[in-house]
Amino acid sequence: MKLVRFTAQGRTRIGKVEGHQVIDLSGVIGVETSMRQVIRDLPQRRAALEGVNGPAYPLADVRLEAPIHDPQKFLGIGMNYRKHAEEARLAGIPIPESQLWFNKQVSCIVGPFDEVEKPQASDKMDYEIELGVVIGTRCRHIAAKDAASVIAGYLIVNDVSARDWLHKSPTFTLGKSFDTFGPIGPWLTTADEIADPLALEMKLYINDELRQHSLSGDMIYNLYQQIEYLSTVMTLEPGDILATGTPSGIGAPKGLFLKPGDVMRLEIEGLGKIENPVIAER
């Protein structure tokens, strides 16, 4: 299924996308407005959700919201694609010897077609296309070989970054967490729809110019190893989002930073696309 949060007729609800329609799932017992709750209960409610046939809305007539607007954790891994790590090394950033994780504060999350604000405080705003993994089962100490069992599904993450603030605060959190710096979507594609999440084509365009193009299999630490590493430290909860790294082609090495008027379009095979215009900070 493609599970979505959408707004129609002034009301936000949970739905599923089928073709060019969004099917309202709010009539299913237990489905309210939190995707985290739907994810947590998905094993028990899946048959009921799959069987719903209406009411339906044209996809073009609804507003798509962030599929998960309130995750407990929004975590990202740095320099996790081989070519990107080399790109960073040439820019003077050493390749990490282990997984390098940072927080994106959940307040940065916006919808798949929402605007991204260029902060007044940053002149080095950059883009990063990432495969987002959504945790489906509360878990701790999960071996990589078992990690697929705790994945609810996948979505696209635009890990917008203020490069100057990454240097000011080397934990990365501040440079990754400006308001609007976390577009996600367009929906949560459940894991059963993706045969191999390590063989997905990823593309990012700025104003129709292709800037990033890779397969997700170029990861240094694959998403199963990431789950093993993180769950050694912390309990992962349903709805937690893991941004699994970006390929080469970011703007910083060439000084191609984002400015108001730019449009970012991100596409991942099997997951759809998101598009985010850049505006000046309000």
Side-chain angles (χ1 to χ4, degrees), residues 5-13 57 61-65:
R5 285 179 66 250
F6 72 100
T7 298
Q9 300 174 347
R11 180 182 162 206
T12 300
R13 60 202 94 181
Y57 300 85
D61 292 346
V62 306
R63 174 186 171 90
L64 295 183
E65 309 289 354

Side-chain angles (χ1 to χ4, degrees), residues 87-99:
E87 179 181 60
R89 186 189 67 80
L90 293 175
I93 302 172
I95 298 175
E97 297 180 0
S98 61
Q99 295 186 35

Side-chain angles (χ1 to χ4, degrees), residues 65-87:
E65 309 289 354
I68 307 164
H69 70 290
D70 58 349
Q72 288 194 6
K73 305 180 194 70
F74 189 3
L75 303 172
I77 186 171
M79 290 177 281
N80 190 43
Y81 277 65
R82 290 172 178 83
K83 290 182 181 178
H84 175 54
E86 180 62 21
E87 179 181 60

